[in-house]
Amino acid sequence: MREGFSGRIERRWLGPSTIWLVATIGSAVLWSIGTGLHPIPGIALLAPLPVLWLAPRQSASVVYAAAALSWFGGNARYWSYFIDTLDQPATIPVILLVGGALTFGACIALFRKLLIQGRFGWAVLALPALWTSVEFLVSMVGGIGAWWSIAYSQAEVAAIVRVASITGVWGISFLLLAVPSAVAALMAPGIRTARGLTVVGVAAGAVIVAIGAGQWCSEAASGGPVTRVGLVAVAQPPMYVPVATPDGARMITEAVAAVDQLADQGAEVIVFTEKAWHARQSELWLLRDPLSAVAARRGVHLVVGLELEQPNGTVNAAIAYPGETVYAKRFLVPGLESSLQPGTTSVRIPGRSWALAICFDLDRPALVRQNRTDGATLILAPALDFTVDHWLHSRMAVLRAAESGIAIARPAQLGELVAVDAQGAVQASVRTDLTETRMALADIRTAGDRTPYVRWGDWFAGLSIMLAVAGGLAALRRPVAQPRRPRESVDQS
């Protein structure tokens, strides 16, 4: 058999260890810039390719190590975010980073096994299916919702985002790994060109169909009325400000002025940030009276965020005026909000198809989907971020909007004031900090029909689990063709 180009490179210039190191570092670098708090769109599609190329050319243990280390190296920067920024116990980043590395290693190992058995189609399907299955299971039992997903790296790519209207976030994660898997299968030693092109062609066709169907479904689901929304982050001291203090009074005065300014520009609803104030139940009138008065005078709805001390415990609340409709945040940040009581029910503003949520709630696809199922067309969600995560956490709202075909207004202190329409398109984005009051105004089209994801739920995650199991079972069977073994110069498994 004639020696391929990559084989000549390995024999003449690079040894197996050097190739392994280059592939590992290459994938790690691509993961680092293609995912995370500030990813570059599209790079995540390339990140698996170096270790995928390596998979059929070196032994199973060596390939597993390369994949696991590349994932760990590319995501190790999360350590300081979890420990220093989110003040999480070390067990959380250890579980996520080590667990993610072991999972990615297993995905690449499964791909390798199926590839050298000659099951090229299963190799392309099983890798993304296994990864997507784990993402889904972590979202169900991990306490962080769908936060740990590579799909958010594509939040700026509208064509990909809208696929979520059919599959949820899981379909995007699948796509991000299926495409490089198909390319790597085409480059695998021993695969006949016709067969490789067939695999790639089918994969490309599936991607095109998914993007086209996502566009169609997303457009159909965003036929609701346009609502003009104002978003406000009032300048404040670093900690939550008691309403019965001079700073609290000043912030209320600035809030009233912001309402007047945005109402002059036609805002129908104005949303403030999460935990801007702290109040006892007996002090709530200090906030209620001026905000109810300006809401009634200007004919607008207001939503404010505060810590509210109630008889049965303190809650992270969003309160809508006029009417003082109170929503308690249902999903609290582990550790940081351990002293607070979680809410238990969804809340709508009376007379409107607007639901209330708060920050971390939006990391739960099921919560947003349930609100849409119950008839909500717009979610008003005060938020509080940590500056360094302003892009990532705000763009999670983009995926939630696209999934459920629902508009979302998410003003975050130390983050971004973000307004997202029912197709997942960002209509306003303004950075915020504590030193200056910031405002944004946007016309956002709200929900029309329900998306397939709202109707069918996490069907694609279930399909991924079945494909992962089927791929694992296929790997245990006899190969359909004589497998291509790695070169003799490399240790065998």
Side-chain angles (χ1 to χ4, degrees):
M1 180 181 294
R2 294 181 61 187
E3 186 177 30
F5 177 68
S6 62
R8 294 197 301 273
I9 291 178
E10 180 177 337
R11 181 172 62 82
R12 295 181 182 179
W13 292 292
L14 300 176
S17 297
T18 303
I19 291 175
W20 178 90
L21 186 62
V22 169
T24 303
I25 294 176
S27 274
V29 170
L30 291 169
W31 280 125
S32 180
I33 63 178
T35 61
L37 300 177
H38 305 279
I40 299 175
I43 299 299
L45 283 163
L46 304 176
L49 275 175
V51 292
L52 284 170
W53 179 89
L54 189 71
R57 294 170 172 86
Q58 296 197 0
S59 69
S61 59
V62 167
V63 168
Y64 186 96
L69 288 172
S70 71
W71 174 262
F72 187 87
N75 289 273
R77 66 200 183 285
Y78 276 120
W79 179 268
S80 62
Y81 174 68
F82 279 104
I83 298 298
D84 301 328
T85 304
L86 299 184
D87 196 26
Q88 297 295 297
T91 52
I92 299 297
V94 166
I95 291 172
L96 290 176
L97 293 174
V98 176
L102 296 177
T103 299
F104 187 62
C107 290
I108 300 298
L110 179 59
F111 172 84
R112 176 190 181 278
K113 179 74 170 177
L114 291 165
L115 199 62
I116 65 175
Q117 286 182 342
R119 295 188 168 93
F120 303 108
W122 273 117
V124 172
L125 289 173
L127 189 161
L130 178 56
W131 179 266
T132 303
S133 300
V134 173
E135 274 194 0
F136 173 69
L137 294 174
V138 168
S139 78
M140 299 298 291
V141 302
I144 58 172
W147 193 95
W148 194 249
S149 173
I150 60 175
Y152 302 114
S153 64
Q154 308 308 304
E156 303 285 3
V157 186
I160 295 178
V161 164
R162 289 168 186 168
V163 173
S165 66
I166 302 173
T167 64
V169 71
W170 324 117
I172 298 176
S173 295
F174 189 98
L175 181 152
L176 287 175
L177 291 173
V179 171
S181 296
V183 173
L186 177 62
M187 297 188 297
I191 187 172
R192 289 193 288 273
T193 301
R195 190 172 185 184
L197 290 175
T198 299
V199 170
V200 172
V202 170
V207 170
I208 292 170
V209 169
I211 289 175
Q215 178 70 26
W216 185 83
C217 291
S218 185
E219 288 179 356
S222 62
V226 173
T227 301
R228 181 162 289 187
V229 177
L231 308 171
V232 183
V234 177
Q236 65 178 91
M239 297 302 292
Y240 322 130
V241 181
V243 294
T245 63
D247 279 332
R250 175 195 59 78
M251 288 174 61
I252 293 171
T253 300
E254 289 194 23
V256 170
V259 171
D260 277 323
Q261 184 175 338
L262 290 168
D264 285 343
Q265 299 175 67
E268 301 171 56
V269 58
I270 300 167
V271 190
F272 292 81
T273 57
E274 177 187 6
K275 294 181 181 176
W277 292 275
H278 182 102
R280 300 184 181 93
Q281 191 75 41
S282 61
E283 299 169 333
L284 196 54
W285 66 272
L286 293 168
L287 198 62
R288 175 199 314 122
D289 289 358
L291 293 185
S292 293
V294 72
R297 174 167 56 84
R298 301 310 305 263
V300 298
H301 291 267
L302 309 179
V303 177
V304 297
L306 71 155
E307 281 193 343
L308 179 60
E309 293 185 28
Q310 296 180 322
N312 60 343
T314 302
V315 298
N316 185 345
I319 303 180
Y321 296 106
E324 199 168 88
T325 301
V326 179
Y327 168 80
K329 185 178 182 180
R330 295 176 61 183
F331 293 97
L332 302 174
V333 179
L336 287 177
E337 295 184 312
S338 59
S339 63
L340 302 179
Q341 299 296 315
T344 57
T345 59
S346 298
V347 172
R348 295 255 297 275
I349 294 178
R352 298 281 184 168
S353 59
W354 302 341
L356 298 178
I358 298 175
C359 198
F360 197 46
D361 287 334
L362 296 183
D363 296 2
R364 296 327 201 263
L367 181 145
V368 177
R369 188 175 71 241
Q370 187 59 55
N371 272 299
R372 180 69 192 99
T373 298
D374 293 341
T377 60
L378 169 65
I379 290 180
L380 309 172
L384 174 62
D385 290 332
F386 297 90
T387 303
V388 296
D389 60 356
H390 70 89
W391 185 90
L392 177 62
H393 215 193
S394 65
R395 268 45 180 192
M396 290 184 184
V398 169
L399 269 295
R400 297 292 89 78
E403 285 171 343
S404 293
I406 191 169
I408 295 176
R410 185 187 185 272
Q413 185 58 279
L414 298 176
E416 296 185 25
L417 309 176
V418 171
V420 187
D421 69 18
Q423 284 190 282
V426 176
Q427 301 300 322
S429 175
V430 175
R431 288 290 305 275
T432 62
D433 59 50
L434 300 173
T435 63
E436 182 181 350
T437 296
R438 304 282 172 83
M439 291 180 283
L441 186 71
D443 293 327
I444 52 177
R445 186 166 295 282
T446 57
D449 293 336
R450 294 174 181 172
T451 64
Y453 179 70
V454 170
R455 297 176 187 274
W456 305 333
D458 293 313
W459 70 274
F460 192 85
L463 176 61
S464 294
I465 292 172
M466 289 189 288
L467 287 174
V469 171
L473 293 175
L476 298 176
R477 296 166 53 198
R478 286 177 174 270
V480 297
Q482 182 65 31
R484 166 81 177 198
R485 298 301 297 171
R487 288 170 53 92
E488 293 301 324
S489 59
V490 182
D491 292 336
Q492 301 300 297
S493 61

